[in-house]
Amino acid sequence: MIKVALDGTLFSECYLRGANRDGMMRLTEDITKYLVNDYKLDISFVSNYFLQQYDAALKNFVEENYSSHIDKIITKNPPVFTNVFKWKGLYKSKLSNLLNPSYKSLNKQDIFHSFYYPFQKNISDIKIKKTITYLDIIPLMLKGYPQELVQRTSAIVDSIKKGYAISISEYSKTDLLNYDKRINEENVFVVPLAASANLFYKNINIADWQRVKEKYNLPDHYFLSVSGNDSRKNIPHLVECFNQFVLQEKHNDLFLVLTGNGSHNRSMLDKINIKKEVKDKIFISDTFIDSEDLAVLYSNAICFFFMSLYEGFGLPALEAMQCGVPVVTSNTTSLPEVVGNAGFTVSPTNVNDLAEVMSKLYHDAALRNEYADKALQRAATFSWERCAKEYTEIFTLVHSKK
């Protein structure tokens, strides 16, 4: 049995965040559910930042979710005064390296694994093998990201040099190896992500649709895109393609629904030179879509568009496929890996190409049904259970290395 100590930071943040959890938190939870039940592994949780708030949150999270592992928490019980430190401020000031205690007990473990955060000094100093889930190096490759995120991503690359990485895609691995030639290719493995089966599934129940439609004041017929405030998501290009499509074909009943950061999307829309008749057909949600409504929103779309310029994986595309909706993505970076032949991949800069795909999918119900079926079949090949099994295989391989 391999003793694996998991960095408790993201588990603490899961508890502190409550229901409003981000993708990395859900990834951490979904994989761990299977890891703790794997007979080949002996899982422990490490309270890795010397903050009373995080320490207490980790204990509460483990007690609620893995009560059989409540005695598997490695901690030195930070004093209450550490609550005066704010997490982000502590990270930026690097005080965490000074405050974090050294855990001699960790030397009895075989592997330390972080699902995201870079290894702090107290972890780097221990002799056991170390692995980290690696997403991407986008903040190091593109401009405009907060300095904190740039520094953290650089620290993640440094952590990989000191141990092993589990990359979320082949593209992300290649990107990393091209960025830093000092990283040993044999120390970087690839395990694709999965989408939550509880949140993303085909749901075309009429009553559910009416409830969600009224809740968010949604149109009856719509193309869908998940968007945020990151320019690489390429939403202006999608809007311009929709503008061309609508002006050419004069559809009165079709809308483009943009969910995510509503204020950002409105500001973006005001800067794009499109006809008012088209702008009136772009629906921007006033609020974030509640998690329990996502499956209905995805499933009732005519098709889903994800025209990002740069992705380490592209989870929204997989989420949409798992809801049985035809998917159109960029043909760049990691997205072809996710979509395979189950969707349309087109240039993220060519307006004519995307407008043509919009027209095909809108007019051809048989084509939509074909790609909806392909999407479901493709999505079924991704699962957190498979993901966790591959993690166990990697832990076993790393453990065997001298």
Side-chain angles (χ1 to χ4, degrees):
M1 185 175 289
I2 303 170
K3 296 180 179 180
V4 179
L6 302 178
D7 184 348
T9 308
L10 274 173
F11 299 104
S12 296
E13 293 180 352
C14 284
Y15 185 83
L16 294 170
R17 185 76 71 90
N20 185 26
R21 296 174 183 175
D22 61 26
M24 276 309 300
M25 294 177 188
R26 292 201 296 265
L27 176 156
T28 301
E29 286 186 282
D30 287 330
I31 294 178
T32 304
K33 288 176 185 177
Y34 292 99
L35 294 180
V36 296
N37 291 316
D38 193 318
Y39 71 93
K40 297 178 182 178
L41 305 178
D42 180 8
I43 299 293
S44 297
F45 299 85
V46 183
S47 182
N48 194 34
Y49 282 93
F50 206 53
L51 297 171
Q52 200 276 339
Q53 182 186 30
Y54 269 63
D55 188 79
L58 176 61
K59 291 174 181 175
N60 288 330
F61 180 87
V62 173
E63 185 172 22
E64 286 184 4
N65 295 277
Y66 310 112
S67 57
S68 61
H69 285 64
I70 195 63
D71 61 342
K72 294 284 189 177
I73 299 175
I74 301 173
T75 177
K76 285 199 173 180
N77 298 312
V80 176
F81 83 81
T82 59
N83 274 338
V84 302
F85 295 107
K86 291 185 178 180
W87 162 244
K88 289 185 178 179
L90 184 72
Y91 182 89
K92 283 182 179 179
S93 66
K94 301 187 187 260
L95 277 174
S96 55
N97 273 333
L98 298 176
L99 292 175
N100 283 359
S102 176
Y103 292 113
K104 291 183 179 179
S105 57
L106 274 180
N107 288 316
K108 297 179 182 178
Q109 302 290 314
D110 297 311
I111 294 172
F112 174 87
H113 180 76
S114 168
F115 281 106
Y116 171 61
Y117 285 106
F119 306 143
Q120 295 297 303
K121 187 176 184 301
N122 67 325
I123 298 301
S124 294
D125 288 346
I126 62 176
K127 296 180 180 179
I128 67 172
K129 291 164 182 172
K130 306 167 190 72
T131 58
I132 185 170
T133 298
Y134 154 67
L135 304 180
D136 56 63
I137 52 170
I138 292 173
L140 301 178
M141 302 297 285
L142 302 179
K143 296 180 180 179
Y145 287 91
Q147 190 60 28
E148 177 190 358
L149 182 57
V150 173
Q151 291 175 349
R152 184 185 302 160
T153 306
S154 180
I156 289 170
V157 174
D158 288 340
S159 293
I160 294 172
K161 295 175 193 172
K162 301 169 186 175
Y164 300 84
I166 303 176
S167 174
I168 60 175
S169 69
E170 289 287 352
Y171 176 83
S172 206
K173 173 181 176 177
T174 300
D175 215 18
L176 173 68
L177 296 175
N178 288 336
Y179 176 80
D180 195 322
K181 302 294 185 180
R182 293 169 294 179
I183 294 174
N184 185 349
E185 181 178 358
E186 294 182 356
N187 290 351
V188 183
F189 306 94
V190 175
V191 177
L193 300 181
S196 169
N198 294 325
L199 292 180
F200 302 100
Y201 54 92
K202 187 174 182 177
N203 184 347
I204 53 175
N205 178 275
I206 296 176
D208 287 343
W209 164 238
Q210 288 298 326
R211 175 185 59 80
V212 172
K213 177 187 172 185
E214 292 175 8
K215 182 176 180 179
Y216 301 102
N217 196 30
L218 294 169
D220 285 308
H221 306 289
Y222 59 93
F223 291 156
L224 175 65
S225 183
V226 174
S227 59
N229 58 359
D230 196 323
S231 61
R232 68 185 166 89
K233 298 301 182 181
N234 204 23
I235 298 301
H237 172 69
L238 175 63
V239 170
E240 289 168 2
C241 295
F242 183 71
N243 177 67
Q244 177 170 309
F245 164 69
V246 171
L247 293 178
Q248 285 178 345
E249 310 209 13
K250 306 295 183 183
H251 296 297
N252 295 319
D253 63 340
L254 180 67
F255 289 77
L256 172 63
V257 172
L258 303 178
T259 67
N261 190 323
S263 59
H264 171 80
N265 286 331
R266 286 188 178 84
S267 176
M268 172 272 300
L269 200 58
D270 289 339
K271 297 175 183 176
I272 301 177
N273 184 24
I274 60 174
K275 296 284 188 181
K276 184 181 183 302
E277 62 187 280
V278 179
K279 188 176 291 189
D280 290 342
K281 294 183 177 298
I282 298 176
F283 178 91
I284 298 174
S285 175
D286 291 323
T287 61
F288 285 98
I289 306 298
D290 291 335
S291 296
E292 63 268 22
D293 298 328
L294 290 172
V296 178
L297 178 72
Y298 276 93
S299 300
N300 286 277
I302 293 175
C303 57
F304 178 81
F305 294 89
F306 194 62
M307 301 308 299
S308 179
L309 296 167
Y310 199 156
E311 291 293 322
F313 184 78
L315 197 52
L318 179 57
E319 293 168 348
M321 289 195 296
Q322 198 161 287
C323 293
V325 59
V327 168
V328 183
T329 74
S330 302
N331 60 2
T332 60
T333 64
S334 62
L335 289 167
E337 282 183 62
V338 177
V339 176
N341 64 357
F344 292 83
T345 57
V346 298
S347 165
T349 57
N350 189 307
V351 174
N352 291 332
D353 286 355
L354 184 55
E356 183 180 348
V357 171
M358 287 180 176
S359 180
K360 285 182 179 179
L361 285 168
Y362 180 78
H363 289 291
D364 194 335
L367 184 67
R368 293 199 303 273
N369 290 335
E370 176 188 348
Y371 275 88
D373 289 341
K374 285 184 176 181
L376 286 170
Q377 293 171 20
R378 175 73 176 174
T381 65
F382 298 81
S383 75
W384 290 121
E385 182 177 13
R386 172 204 52 77
C387 189
K389 286 180 179 178
E390 293 185 25
Y391 266 62
T392 297
E393 291 172 1
I394 291 168
F395 291 151
T396 303
L397 179 60
V398 169
H399 181 239
S400 69
K401 288 180 177 285
K402 294 183 179 180

